[in-house]
Amino acid sequence: MSRKTKWLIAFVAIAVVVLAVGVYVKLSLRPVARLAAVPQDQLLRAEIPGIPHARYYVASDLEPMVRDVVAARERERAYLASAGHAGELPPAALLAISGGGDNGAFGAGLLNGWSAAGTRPVFKAVTGVSTGALIAPFAFLGEKYDPVLKEVYTRISPKDIATERGVLAAITLDAMADNRPLWALISKHVNEDLLKAVAAEHQKGRILLVGTTNLDARQPVVWNMGVIAASGSPQALDLFRSILLASAAIPGAFPPSMIRVEVDGKEYDEMHVDGGASAQVFMYPPALKRAAESAGETMQRTAAVYVIRNSSLAASWEPVERRTIGIAGKAIDSLIYTQGFGDLFRIYLTTQRDGLDFNLAFIGADFSYRGKKQPFETAYMNALYDYAFALGRNGYQWRHQPPGLDVAYGK
C-alpha cells in the first residue's frame, strides 16, 4: 500500500468520525421535547384529564384543600358511625416524613421498629417529600407493608436508583442520570393492589399527601394521593407512580416528571421535580385553619404531629475542592440543610398555635458509619435501618421542640 493511499484512508476515517460526532452533537443539542407550559394566568385551572381535584397549589389557593379536608372528616364520621362509634372524633395522629435520599432507611427502620413495639398508631394523615414520598404510601397503609419498607431500604444499591449519562448530558439532556431504575423499583411495589388499598383508606376519611415542585410556576404542589387512587381512572396508577418519581427527582441529577394537564380541552406539560425544592418536610399550610374559618368551617381537634427528619441535626464536615461544581454543590447542600430547620420551625409554630402535640425524630449523634463511598450503599442503609429499628422497638424518645430550642444542632 502506497504512502498516498494510507494518507487517503486516514483522511476518510477522520472525516467519517468528525461527521458522526457532528451528527451526534446536532441531535443531542436538540432540547428534550415537551408541550408548552401552562400559562401563568391558567395555572389554577389546569386539571389532570379524568382525575379532577387531584392536587393543591397551597401558595396560591387553599379553598380546594379546605373542601377536601372537610369532606374527609365527613367520610371519617360516617365510617366510625358504621363501626359503632358515637360522639366526637377521636384524637388524631399525623405523620410527616422528610426527604433525605438514602437516609430514608432511618424513617423506614423507625416506623418498622415502632410497629414491633406495638404502639404505632393508625395515622389520620401522612405526608411525604422526596425519599419521604417513597415511604409515605407504605407508612399510610400500616404494618402490612413493613416488609416492603425494609426491602426497599436494605436491599437496594445505586444501580436500583439511576444510571449515569455521558458528560454531554450536562448541556444536552435534562439530567446527569437516568432514573428509570427508580421507576422500575416504584412500579414493582406500587401496583394495582396498593392503589386499591389507598383508595379504601381514603374512603374512611384518611389522607395521603405527597409534595412536588412545579418548576415552571416555581410553586409547591401537594397531591392528594387518595383522590387519585379512588378516581377509577385507567391513568391513576401511572400518575401515582409519576408523582412519587417526581417528588424524588433532584433537579439536575434526575430528569423531571412531565405531567400532562388540560385547560379548556387544550393540553400542556407541567414540569415537576423534587418536592424538596420547595420544602424538606410539610404537614399542612399554616393558613389552612384560618382559610377554613373564613369558609365557615371549624378545624379544632386533639391531635399529635409526628415529624421524621431523615437526616441528622449536625452539619456534616468535608473539605471542599476549589472548583466550580464542588463549590456550587456544597452551597446547595448547605441551603437544603438550613431550609430543613426552617421547615421544622414552621411546623412547630403551627402546632403550638393550633394546640397540637409536636414530636420530632432524627438521626442522632450516636449513629456512626465509616467508609461510605457513594449514595445508596447497601451496607450503609442496613446499618442505619438497624439503628432506627432498635430505637423504634425500644420506645423512641421523641423531641417536643425543634433544634435550637431544646437541643443543640449536633445532639
Side-chain angles (χ1 to χ4, degrees):
M1 184 181 297
S2 68
R3 185 175 181 181
K4 183 177 179 180
T5 301
K6 290 179 180 179
W7 275 108
L8 181 60
I9 292 173
F11 176 79
V12 171
I14 292 171
V16 169
V17 171
V18 170
L19 179 62
V21 171
V23 171
Y24 171 78
V25 170
K26 183 177 180 180
L27 291 174
S28 62
L29 284 175
R30 291 178 180 173
V32 178
R34 63 168 291 189
L35 295 183
V38 179
Q40 183 177 358
D41 62 347
Q42 301 295 317
L43 186 66
L44 299 183
R45 299 185 59 231
E47 293 279 11
I48 307 297
I51 313 178
H53 314 305
R55 76 280 182 77
Y56 320 110
Y57 280 95
V58 293
S60 300
D61 183 14
L62 287 177
E63 188 278 330
M65 193 173 195
V66 170
R67 176 198 65 217
D68 284 357
V69 169
V70 171
R73 183 175 62 190
E74 294 310 308
R75 289 197 303 274
E76 183 183 9
R77 288 187 191 279
Y79 170 72
L80 291 174
S82 69
H85 176 83
E88 295 295 319
L89 291 174
L94 314 177
L95 175 66
I97 314 171
S98 83
D102 54 10
N103 283 335
F106 173 77
L110 185 68
L111 285 165
N112 286 6
W114 201 353
S115 296
T119 56
R120 177 174 155 188
V122 175
F123 299 106
K124 161 68 176 179
V126 177
T127 71
V129 171
S130 197
T131 198
L134 302 180
I135 295 172
F138 309 115
F140 180 73
L141 292 175
E143 298 177 17
K144 178 181 177 181
Y145 283 85
D146 284 2
V148 177
L149 272 181
K150 181 176 182 180
E151 178 181 341
V152 170
Y153 283 95
T154 63
R155 296 182 185 176
I156 66 169
S157 63
K159 66 179 177 61
D160 298 303
I161 303 300
T163 53
E164 293 184 4
R165 291 170 167 171
V167 293
L168 284 177
I171 58 172
T172 64
L173 299 175
D174 54 2
M176 294 301 297
D178 186 339
N179 59 356
R180 277 181 289 185
L182 180 56
W183 171 265
L185 182 65
I186 291 171
S187 299
K188 175 183 176 182
H189 298 291
V190 177
N191 51 31
E192 290 288 356
D193 287 341
L194 181 138
L195 208 66
K196 290 176 182 177
V198 170
E201 296 305 311
H202 172 78
Q203 296 302 334
K204 297 176 184 177
R206 298 179 63 212
I207 301 171
L208 173 61
L209 304 176
V210 166
T212 66
T213 300
N214 182 327
L215 207 54
D216 296 311
R218 287 184 288 181
Q219 287 198 42
V221 179
V222 174
W223 296 84
N224 192 322
M225 307 301 276
V227 166
I228 296 169
S231 69
S233 168
Q235 308 304 319
L237 182 58
D238 272 351
L239 178 62
F240 199 105
R241 292 168 172 171
S242 293
I243 292 165
L244 296 183
L245 189 70
S247 189
I250 302 169
F254 300 145
S257 286
M258 305 307 300
I259 296 179
R260 187 66 48 87
V261 298
E262 287 185 356
V263 179
D264 296 331
K266 183 175 181 179
E267 293 186 329
Y268 298 92
D269 275 345
E270 291 181 345
M271 181 181 290
H272 287 262
V273 298
D274 194 344
S278 299
Q280 293 300 302
V281 64
F282 73 97
M283 191 65 257
Y284 60 88
L288 186 67
K289 185 177 180 182
R290 183 172 297 177
E293 291 171 349
S294 298
E297 301 287 348
T298 58
M299 288 190 178
Q300 191 66 40
R301 184 172 181 178
T302 302
V305 172
Y306 297 92
V307 181
I308 297 178
R309 176 179 165 91
N310 289 306
S311 175
S312 68
L313 298 183
S316 59
W317 184 92
E318 183 180 0
V320 179
E321 188 177 1
R322 191 172 178 177
R323 293 183 181 274
T324 302
I325 294 179
I327 294 170
K330 285 300 177 183
I332 292 172
D333 285 346
S334 179
L335 179 62
I336 292 172
Y337 170 73
T338 53
Q339 178 197 35
F341 286 108
D343 294 331
L344 295 179
F345 271 89
R346 183 183 64 253
I347 294 173
Y348 173 73
L349 292 174
T350 302
T351 62
Q352 299 311 289
R353 183 201 62 191
D354 294 347
L356 309 182
D357 183 28
F358 177 84
N359 302 271
L360 171 65
F362 54 87
I363 301 173
D366 55 334
F367 174 73
S368 62
Y369 182 89
R370 297 183 181 276
K372 182 181 177 183
K373 297 179 180 178
Q374 60 181 330
F376 296 98
E377 284 188 4
T378 307
Y380 171 79
M381 289 188 292
N382 271 271
L384 183 55
Y385 175 92
D386 290 343
Y387 160 80
F389 183 89
L391 291 177
R393 181 185 54 198
N394 295 330
Y396 186 75
Q397 299 300 304
W398 296 84
R399 301 281 187 169
H400 300 294
Q401 290 182 317
L405 292 183
D406 72 337
V407 292
Y409 285 4
K411 300 299 184 182

